[in-house]
Amino acid sequence: MKHLLLVDDDRDFTESLAELLQDYGYRVETAFAGEEAVRRAGEFDVTLMDISMPGRDGIDCLRAIRSAEPAARVIMMTGFTRAELVEQAHGEGAFGVLYKPLDIDRLLHLIEDDTGA
């Protein structure tokens, strides 16, 4: 069973997605700010993180996580379609980038995929 960290400042979205992923058999923990993801880098099989959050944004957190744990698998999520954010996430080593509302089949594929996307 994969252990996931779900990071998003939208509590309703985070809690709903956590419940859904638990229904699929994943062990899920949540955080509502990127700092916790940075502090806990390496504890999870996959981290799912929002790109746009108040304070330390997802791109900065991704950079810090990958610096501490180069093999960390971080999937970024965004409700925005700004191409530069998506390009920046890929450039910083994101395992994948998903747009909200999430394509659950694509999300599950990325969680299970060991090659990146």
Side-chain angles (χ1 to χ4, degrees):
M1 172 186 347
K2 290 195 176 178
H3 190 196
L4 311 177
L5 176 62
L6 177 55
V7 186
D8 197 306
D9 61 304
D10 181 336
R11 288 181 181 267
D12 290 336
F13 171 81
T14 304
E15 290 168 359
S16 295
L17 183 56
E19 287 178 20
L20 178 71
L21 292 170
Q22 288 168 345
D23 288 346
Y24 278 97
Y26 297 106
R27 199 165 50 131
V28 181
E29 294 187 43
T30 59
F32 304 105
E35 277 301 322
E36 185 169 351
V38 173
R39 257 192 328 274
R40 298 181 69 188
E43 292 182 30
F44 300 91
D45 297 308
V46 178
T47 298
L48 298 113
M49 186 169 1
D50 190 23
I51 288 177
S52 297
M53 294 183 286
R56 194 169 187 183
D57 70 31
I59 299 292
D60 186 48
C61 292
L62 170 62
R63 188 178 301 117
I65 290 168
R66 299 278 296 160
S67 176
E69 294 288 333
R73 293 178 55 203
V74 181
I75 299 169
M76 304 301 291
M77 305 175 294
T78 185
F80 301 99
T81 56
R82 291 183 25 211
E84 67 271 9
L85 287 176
V86 173
E87 288 175 23
Q88 192 174 9
H90 281 295
E92 294 294 338
F95 196 74
V97 178
L98 296 173
Y99 293 95
K100 296 176 184 176
L102 298 180
D103 176 337
I104 298 303
D105 290 334
R106 178 81 176 126
L107 173 60
L108 296 173
H109 173 77
L110 284 172
I111 291 170
E112 292 301 323
D113 185 9
D114 291 328
T115 62

